[in-house]
Amino acid sequence: MLVSQVRPSMLIPIRGLVTMQTVLTRSPTMSMLPRSALLRASPARNYSFAFPLRSLQLIQNFHLTSRNMRTLYSKNLQIIISKRFISIFPKIIGKVVRVPVYVGGSMAAAGSYIAYKIEETSNFTMDKINQFKDFSDSMKDKLQSVFAKDGSNGGGGNGSGNSNGDEISSATLLAALTDEEKDELEAQQKERDLLEEGTLDDNDDDEVDDDMYDTTQDEMLNLTKQMIEIRSILSKIDSTSSHLTLPSIVVIGSQSSGKSSVLESIVGKEFLPKGSNMVTRRPIELTLVNTPNANEITADFPTQRLYNLKDFKEVKRVLMELNMAVPASQAVSEEPIQLTIKSSNVPDLSLVDLPGYIQVEAADQPIELKTKIRQLCDKYLADPNIILAISSADVDLANSSALRASKTIDPTGSRTIGVITKLDLVSPQEAKDILNNKKYPLKMGYVGVITKSPNKPHHGLFGDPINSNSSSSLGGLFGKKPTTPLQDKYKSNQIGLQQMESRQFEKLYFKENKKQFNNCEVSTKTLREKLIKILEISMSNALEPTSTIIQQELDDASYLFKVEFNDRQLTPKSYLLNNIDVLKLTIKEFQEKFDRYELKSILKANLDQKVLDFLANRYWKDDNLEELSSKMKNNEEMVYWHRKLELASSSLTKIGIGRLSTNLVTNSILMELENILNKTQLKNHDLIKELVTNTAVNTLNSKFYSTADQVENCIKPFKYEIDLEDRDWSMAKDHSIRLIKEELRQCNERYNLIKSSVGTKKLKRVMSYLEEDTSRPETLGMSKILLERGNEALFLDKRSKVLQFRLNMLKNKCYSRTEKDRCPEIFLNAVSEKLTSTAVLFLNVELLSDFFYNFPIELDRRLSQLSDEQVELFAKEDPKISRHIELQKRKELLELALDKIDSILVFKKSYKGISRNSK
């Protein structure tokens, strides 16, 4: 029976066969049916077809027949079970093996289901957020219309109640928004304002994006970047050379021609100083470097060593300071300012911004200023540079200073590009005639640009002018006057917005007047592309002649380097390290000589002078000194001289031996270090001499106070009691005799010098006069100088007699330490010897060892902190070394430039060969 012949009453839905399917699957006989048959009868598959009633009856009859077979089935059950167990055992193992697979599949399914639910939830959330944003947009529009209505009604009227309600609801809504949502609302409002003004079309979004971001780098060869690098290398070799360079684009124009605006539109940032009093006084060599992966635009001043500046207000300030550094009497300077700007939105270009031409000198400007500017511009306009002559559309080209100057330097106009700014100030037809003029033809043609949009206030998110000082009613709701934080953030981005609006205005202007400018080159983007192509061609054509010049310069530099320095390589760092190694070696030799004995001799010599001072003040001026030559007759004399000796000894031990000895050793080391520096090549380098000296002072100072305290603590016992042995007395006696002899010799030597200069008789007469009465007013014709010499000779004569007397006493009567009261010279010398030996022990351990160990380490650490510029400045302090380094650097830069040019020339030849073969 065909399904088409079945009556509707004979059909039942397949969903109603649940009980039948259960019966069939539970029946032993039906379990033998094919699995496909059971699946076809399963309600799990929700097929939309009907099951014939006749077929159902046949199945039921088959089910009745199966009951008769159950008896036979039960009899053979055991046999069947045993056989089935054997056959089922492998299946059980297979199912057990499949369990992990089932579990993994279940987990994967569960993960997919969870991911699906998460995605569904996120989509639902985004829909709600979009609905909320639409609602906030509508509320904002309503709020602005209410504010406009309030402004027209003066804030009163019957609608004030609704206005207040809308203000409160809108303020509540905006307060709930995040900063990102506020920024997005701001951008949407700005776009709607532009749409209302007609400056932006919904269908031109892609075109606007193309104008906002530079894509011309995709159309130029990578060779341009390499050639700009070569030009930078050549400028390092000789920035004043007119032949050792590659072409650059030189921008000239009058002060009001919009020259700075053209450069800023190419860069996309406002950074050039502007003013009415000649703010551009030096050439600005501007290098634009395209960095595709950079997220920010940065500026570098290589000469001033300022790098990675991201704030272009700071760039503008630096340029202003460098220009204003030129004195007003000079007005302009030929020393260029080198500025490099790196960004993914700038093309690879090399530009030079020159001071603007003037017609008449101001009262505060030098008379020769006009001539100086012209001479400076003529220097940069010389071949092979490209001239970018900026002229304003509202000024007749016959009066253009830029075209007049370019015509003088480039009569044929083969190297000049004319740029006409402010095209919106004249009618489109006049602008077209200027761009296509034949009176002042240029082979590279004219390009028309509009770098500034008409001056009109920028309206913010809330409808109020950003430059206005008045606050809107919504600003009052936020409690911020005169502006809100969002408005302040909006103000901070005005430089970028002005550039954007200028480009949009330029695009719209040329789009509306497309027919008039059909055969003209217009827009800033066209100018950028034209500059890239022309600079690439000009540089490429100049490679071969420049290569020949570089080869000649390289030959000359190589010959000089061979003759003067024998091809010996030298770098500032290697020169510094060599000198430091020599210094360390000399200090090592000084350490070996400056041992304990040297230290002791220095300290002992100083203490000997202290002992002589005590003797002179306490003994040699005493009128009773002759009593020491004989044995003391009474106790008073003994007590007098004994206490005198104790006071002298106490004064010697309490003079501060710790600080005195430490300071003495420290000064000795620094003086020796100064002598060492003066014997090396470092004597001509004040920077390193100061660094070495400061390092030594800091190293010594780190242990100064602790060493002084240690020495002072160790000599403290000598302040109370001093024990001397016979050996100590004998050594002190010998040293005292030598000391007195030296003192006597110096006195006699000085006395004889005075006697020889004044005369023996005359000196005796003066001395006799002074011995009689020195208070007499008359001088008997003797000068003041003669009397001073007589007083000095009289003192020396007395001192010589005392020294001779004490010397005889020491030699003949001071045999043992029991005579210490009669022989104070020997006792005080013995005390000073004790003090010296004790102090030297700790000075050697605490101060010297620490200095000679830590000084080289600290010196290396400080030297490693020097920058490359400081090391180079150090090396160039020596004229001969400076000549060596400069010549070597020149040779290396010439070789580098020549290698780069040769690689480009080889590439060009191979590229031409491939092009010919392809044709």
Side-chain angles (χ1 to χ4, degrees), residues 390-623:
I390 310 293
S391 304
S392 179
D394 58 347
V395 177
D396 191 357
L397 292 184
N399 299 324
S400 173
S401 302
L403 288 178
R404 188 184 307 115
S406 64
K407 193 71 174 177
T408 304
I409 303 298
D410 181 27
T412 61
S414 59
R415 296 186 293 111
T416 305
I417 305 174
V419 178
I420 309 299
T421 62
K422 307 178 183 179
L423 288 181
D424 56 318
L425 299 183
V426 298
S427 64
Q429 186 60 40
E430 292 180 4
K432 178 181 179 181
D433 295 340
I434 294 174
L435 296 175
N436 293 328
N437 78 88
K438 303 298 181 182
K439 292 184 179 180
Y440 311 100
L442 299 175
K443 292 185 179 180
M444 295 184 180
Y446 291 85
V447 180
V449 296
I450 301 175
T451 57
K452 285 187 178 181
S453 60
N455 294 328
K456 57 182 179 180
H458 299 283
H459 293 277
L461 174 63
F462 308 108
D464 57 320
I466 288 180
N467 295 327
S468 175
N469 292 327
S470 61
S471 60
S472 64
S473 58
L474 186 58
L477 288 176
F478 279 116
K480 288 272 189 175
K481 291 186 179 183
T483 56
T484 65
L486 184 58
Q487 289 171 315
D488 293 336
K489 181 179 179 181
Y490 190 75
K491 284 182 182 180
S492 64
N493 296 328
Q494 280 306 295
I495 294 179
L497 288 175
Q498 289 176 1
Q499 293 287 341
M500 184 190 305
E501 290 184 357
S502 298
R503 293 183 182 183
Q504 291 170 351
F505 177 79
E506 181 189 53
K507 177 181 175 60
L508 180 62
Y509 179 85
F510 291 130
K511 184 177 180 181
E512 290 178 350
N513 302 281
K514 187 175 181 180
K515 294 182 180 179
Q516 286 83 351
F517 297 106
N518 189 22
N519 296 325
C520 301
E521 291 182 307
V522 293
S523 79
T524 304
K525 183 178 180 181
T526 303
L527 176 62
R528 289 157 66 114
E529 296 173 352
K530 189 179 186 71
L531 292 179
I532 293 171
K533 294 177 182 177
I534 291 177
L535 183 62
E536 179 188 344
I537 294 172
S538 302
M539 283 187 169
S540 180
N541 293 336
L543 285 178
E544 291 189 6
T546 304
S547 176
T548 303
I549 297 174
I550 292 176
Q551 185 63 57
Q552 295 175 355
E553 294 286 339
L554 179 59
D555 294 340
D556 295 341
S558 299
Y559 175 76
L560 291 175
F561 192 66
K562 175 68 174 178
V563 171
E564 295 183 18
F565 306 106
N566 197 24
D567 288 337
R568 182 172 61 88
Q569 297 295 320
L570 180 66
T571 62
K573 193 168 185 178
S574 64
Y575 174 70
L576 172 62
L577 295 178
N578 289 336
N579 282 277
I580 296 300
D581 290 341
V582 173
L583 175 64
K584 290 180 180 179
L585 183 60
T586 310
I587 291 176
K588 186 68 174 177
E589 295 175 356
F590 166 63
Q591 179 184 2
E592 295 175 356
K593 295 178 181 179
F594 200 74
D595 54 5
R596 182 182 301 179
Y597 301 102
E598 180 71 17
L599 185 61
K600 183 177 180 179
S601 64
I602 295 174
L603 184 56
K604 188 65 170 67
N606 187 270
L607 289 181
D608 286 343
Q609 295 301 318
K610 298 290 182 183
V611 169
L612 291 175
D613 292 339
F614 285 127
L615 291 172
N617 294 327
R618 295 181 181 273
Y619 285 92
W620 296 343
K621 293 181 180 180
D622 196 325
D623 296 334

Side-chain angles (χ1 to χ4, degrees), residues 564-834:
E564 295 183 18
F565 306 106
N566 197 24
D567 288 337
R568 182 172 61 88
Q569 297 295 320
L570 180 66
T571 62
K573 193 168 185 178
S574 64
Y575 174 70
L576 172 62
L577 295 178
N578 289 336
N579 282 277
I580 296 300
D581 290 341
V582 173
L583 175 64
K584 290 180 180 179
L585 183 60
T586 310
I587 291 176
K588 186 68 174 177
E589 295 175 356
F590 166 63
Q591 179 184 2
E592 295 175 356
K593 295 178 181 179
F594 200 74
D595 54 5
R596 182 182 301 179
Y597 301 102
E598 180 71 17
L599 185 61
K600 183 177 180 179
S601 64
I602 295 174
L603 184 56
K604 188 65 170 67
N606 187 270
L607 289 181
D608 286 343
Q609 295 301 318
K610 298 290 182 183
V611 169
L612 291 175
D613 292 339
F614 285 127
L615 291 172
N617 294 327
R618 295 181 181 273
Y619 285 92
W620 296 343
K621 293 181 180 180
D622 196 325
D623 296 334
N624 300 322
L625 184 63
E626 294 182 358
E627 295 178 358
L628 297 177
S629 61
S630 60
K631 291 185 178 181
M632 300 177 187
K633 299 178 181 179
N634 52 46
N635 293 331
E636 292 182 1
E637 293 181 0
M638 295 177 60
V639 171
Y640 173 78
W641 293 108
H642 183 71
R643 289 182 178 178
K644 203 173 188 68
L645 182 63
E646 287 183 347
L647 289 174
S649 175
S650 177
S651 299
L652 182 61
T653 57
K654 293 179 180 179
I655 60 175
I657 296 296
R659 179 160 296 189
L660 175 67
S661 59
T662 306
N663 190 45
L664 184 64
V665 174
T666 300
N667 292 336
S668 300
I669 293 175
L670 294 178
M671 289 177 61
E672 187 63 27
L673 183 61
E674 183 72 18
N675 296 332
I676 292 173
L677 288 173
N678 291 331
K679 293 178 181 179
T680 63
Q681 292 185 355
L682 296 176
K683 63 182 178 181
N684 300 321
H685 305 286
D686 295 333
L687 175 65
I688 300 300
K689 281 181 64 177
E690 183 179 0
L691 186 143
V692 172
T693 304
N694 291 337
T695 303
V697 169
N698 292 335
T699 305
L700 291 170
N701 285 341
S702 64
K703 300 291 291 184
F704 182 88
Y705 294 104
S706 61
T707 303
D709 292 341
Q710 285 281 355
V711 173
E712 200 68 37
N713 291 332
C714 292
I715 67 167
K716 190 175 293 185
F718 299 120
K719 297 180 181 180
Y720 305 102
E721 184 179 2
I722 299 177
D723 294 330
L724 296 179
E725 298 179 357
D726 293 338
R727 181 173 177 273
D728 298 331
W729 183 267
S730 177
M731 293 176 59
K733 178 180 178 180
D734 294 340
H735 185 74
S736 298
I737 292 174
R738 288 195 300 269
L739 197 61
I740 297 298
K741 284 183 178 180
E742 178 63 24
E743 189 74 9
L744 180 61
R745 185 191 66 79
Q746 292 180 6
C747 287
N748 293 332
E749 184 178 355
R750 178 62 182 169
Y751 178 81
N752 293 330
L753 180 62
I754 295 173
K755 186 169 65 173
S756 62
S757 62
V758 176
T760 304
K761 294 181 179 181
K762 194 173 185 179
L763 182 62
K764 286 183 179 180
R765 186 169 64 250
V766 173
M767 292 174 64
S768 299
Y769 168 77
L770 293 174
E771 286 178 348
E772 293 176 0
D773 189 1
T774 57
S775 61
R776 290 181 299 180
E778 65 275 5
T779 59
L780 301 178
M782 300 178 185
S783 65
K784 184 178 180 180
I785 296 177
L786 184 60
L787 292 175
E788 290 178 355
R789 294 288 180 86
N791 281 322
E792 184 180 0
L794 188 60
F795 169 79
L796 292 173
D797 182 60
K798 291 180 179 180
R799 176 59 60 88
S800 298
K801 293 178 181 179
V802 171
L803 291 174
Q804 187 64 46
F805 166 72
R806 294 307 301 168
L807 182 60
N808 295 330
M809 180 72 181
L810 295 176
K811 289 181 178 179
N812 300 322
K813 296 184 179 181
C814 299
Y815 294 108
S816 65
R817 60 181 183 274
T818 57
E819 303 289 340
K820 64 180 182 180
D821 292 336
R822 299 176 61 193
C823 306
E825 295 88 354
I826 299 176
F827 181 78
L828 292 178
N829 270 289
V831 173
S832 68
E833 180 68 24
K834 292 281 187 180

